Amino acid sequence: MLERVQKYISQAGTASRRKAEEFIKSGQVSINGRKAKLGDKVDPAKDKVTVYGKIITPAEKFIYLAINKPKGYVVSKSDPRHRKTVFELLPEDLRTKVWNVGRLDFDTEGLLIMTNDGDLTQALAHPKNEHDKEYEVTTQEEANDSQLEHLREGVDLPTGTTYPAKVKTKSNKIYITIHEGKKRQVRRMFSGVGLTVTNLKRIRINKLELPKDLAPGQFKEIKPSDII
Ligand code: URA
């Protein structure tokens, strides 16, 4: 069956769909020796696809990891400012195989999923699927009811009004569940209602809770059915 080349690359476990599209646009992908264009079709049974000159062969095994990202790490394969990356927390044999699903800010800690499964990445990344992401937030000021209600109803940001969120409090922490993933969204929502975030931790992605026994910097293997 013919498949679009970007889908083929991500299903083979070489890169996420978005990254595969970048490789194609920058002319690093060939099909049978000819430079590929976005949307070109390939026949996995007979076509030879290369990325950066290396032949794509489907991954022998899909890998799914939950990592507890510590603060002070970037979610990126490399950093121009030479800060520590979450990939440095993985052994070398895994580091080169997986990519991150979504991101967390440098100062945010908590649950991050890493995989080489392009379909799962796509399913989790697509906003239409509305996968919950829950965060535990500590703020400098004590939140009042009207601020909590404002967070629930939606906050006007330069990128648009946020969708309704679930918000609850326990002890001195606020728990917010959103299903969007705009840049620094939680911090910007809180700042929009007059609250300063002093600690931000992701504690759940859809079904998957941050495992209680996973210390910052540790990771563990999980199954896709733990997430979706
Ligand atoms: N919202 C933020 O502000 N930062 C994150 O890292 C994740 C969600």
Side-chain angles (χ1 to χ4, degrees):
M1 210 177 65
L2 293 183
E3 274 175 19
R4 281 185 303 167
V5 62
Q6 59 267 38
K7 186 167 179 200
Y8 174 69
I9 294 170
S10 73
Q11 282 183 330
T14 304
S16 66
R17 188 95 51 103
R18 217 175 61 187
K19 202 82 205 165
E21 288 173 359
E22 279 174 28
F23 291 156
I24 295 166
K25 284 188 201 150
S26 61
Q28 302 305 334
V29 176
S30 298
I31 306 169
N32 304 324
R34 175 184 52 81
K35 216 169 254 188
K37 294 189 305 303
L38 269 184
D40 277 354
K41 298 275 173 58
V42 293
D43 180 346
K46 54 177 209 269
D47 289 328
K48 193 176 91 180
V49 179
T50 59
V51 176
Y52 282 97
K54 241 181 92 185
I55 297 179
I56 297 290
T57 44
E60 281 159 28
K61 173 171 159 319
F62 283 131
I63 302 164
Y64 306 91
L65 306 175
I67 184 161
N68 186 353
K69 176 197 174 295
K71 289 184 196 182
Y73 280 74
V74 281
V75 180
S76 176
K77 287 249 167 167
S78 64
D79 182 49
R81 289 159 62 187
H82 305 292
R83 294 173 297 180
K84 289 177 282 191
T85 81
V86 285
F87 289 91
E88 292 168 24
L89 298 165
L90 302 177
E92 207 146 338
D93 60 323
L94 283 177
R95 194 182 300 171
T96 50
K97 289 185 182 145
V98 295
W99 57 78
N100 49 291
V101 180
R103 285 175 193 281
L104 290 175
D105 298 335
F106 183 71
D107 292 329
T108 303
E109 55 182 334
L111 183 60
L112 182 71
I113 295 168
M114 312 265 232
T115 188
N116 59 349
D117 180 339
D119 282 347
L120 180 88
T121 308
Q122 197 71 2
L124 285 172
H126 209 293
K128 86 170 188 317
N129 294 333
E130 301 196 351
H131 294 300
D132 282 351
K133 291 175 214 98
E134 186 173 3
Y135 296 86
E136 180 191 89
V137 190
T138 315
T139 52
Q140 196 169 306
E141 313 81 2
E142 194 175 339
N144 60 39
D145 286 346
S146 102
Q147 287 170 317
L148 296 174
E149 202 45 38
H150 194 166
L151 288 170
R152 278 187 197 107
E153 284 173 1
V155 182
D156 287 332
L157 299 178
T159 44
T161 307
T162 59
Y163 281 97
K166 286 190 206 127
V167 179
K168 59 187 184 193
T169 55
K170 198 171 164 197
S171 323
N172 59 346
K173 302 234 170 25
I174 303 169
Y175 294 85
I176 182 164
T177 304
I178 57 175
H179 52 72
E180 302 164 271
K182 296 201 183 102
K183 204 164 189 264
R184 294 180 79 79
Q185 174 152 347
V186 174
R187 291 176 197 277
R188 292 192 301 136
M189 286 174 77
F190 275 64
S191 146
V193 304
L195 293 168
T196 319
V197 172
T198 53
N199 199 65
L200 182 58
K201 181 172 169 185
R202 182 153 65 192
I203 57 167
R204 184 168 62 86
I205 298 173
N206 209 49
K207 270 165 55 182
L208 181 69
E209 292 186 7
L210 176 65
K212 296 266 182 289
D213 56 349
L214 203 62
Q218 290 187 332
F219 71 93
K220 73 189 276 187
E221 272 213 61
I222 52 168
K223 299 188 293 297
S225 59
D226 296 330
I227 315 166
I228 292 192

